[in-house]
Amino acid sequence: MWWKKAGGSKIYDSSEEIPAPDVDRSLRLFMFEACHYCKRVFSALEKLQMSVEMADVRKDTAVRQELYSLTGRTQVPCLIIDDVPLFESEDICAWLEAYAARGTQTS
């Protein structure tokens, strides 16, 4: 299913293949600190001793607009993996665990 933004251009294909956690990837987490689901991802990152670039959608309206422009949604947490969005905290945590298991630390 394609998500569309105003004007009808396609932004996000929910069936788009999520990049495998088998090589170094560019990672960016769209989040806000008080979000219960984001806290689940923060805990996973801490447990895995990983750090990723974070973009707080509540502190900066431009960041929120960027998330919407990338995905057609403002849902957090959203992990951008090499320009492909991954939503849902449990899915993000599972992906991060697999990524960390291959021995890669991202900053």
Side-chain angles (χ1 to χ4, degrees), residues 11-12 16 18 67 70-71 78-81 83-87:
I11 293 297
Y12 170 64
E16 186 171 357
I18 301 301
L67 175 60
L70 289 169
T71 68
C78 176
L79 181 65
I80 303 295
I81 308 164
D83 298 323
V84 178
L86 176 60
F87 294 96

Side-chain angles (χ1 to χ4, degrees), residues 42-79:
F42 302 155
S43 292
L45 287 167
E46 185 176 328
K47 175 184 158 194
L48 298 167
Q49 299 180 354
M50 290 179 65
S51 62
V52 298
E53 179 185 354
M54 302 230 187
D56 192 324
V57 300
R58 290 267 171 106
K59 289 184 178 176
D60 188 341
T61 56
V63 168
R64 183 179 173 92
Q65 183 57 45
E66 179 184 1
L67 175 60
Y68 183 77
S69 294
L70 289 169
T71 68
R73 301 161 71 175
T74 57
Q75 176 183 332
V76 294
C78 176
L79 181 65

Side-chain angles (χ1 to χ4, degrees), residues 20-45:
D22 56 351
V23 296
D24 287 344
R25 301 285 182 188
S26 170
L27 304 176
R28 186 168 186 213
L29 180 66
F30 285 87
M31 47 61 80
F32 69 87
E33 289 184 30
C35 169
H36 170 73
Y37 299 106
C38 293
K39 287 180 181 182
R40 181 181 291 165
V41 176
F42 302 155
S43 292
L45 287 167

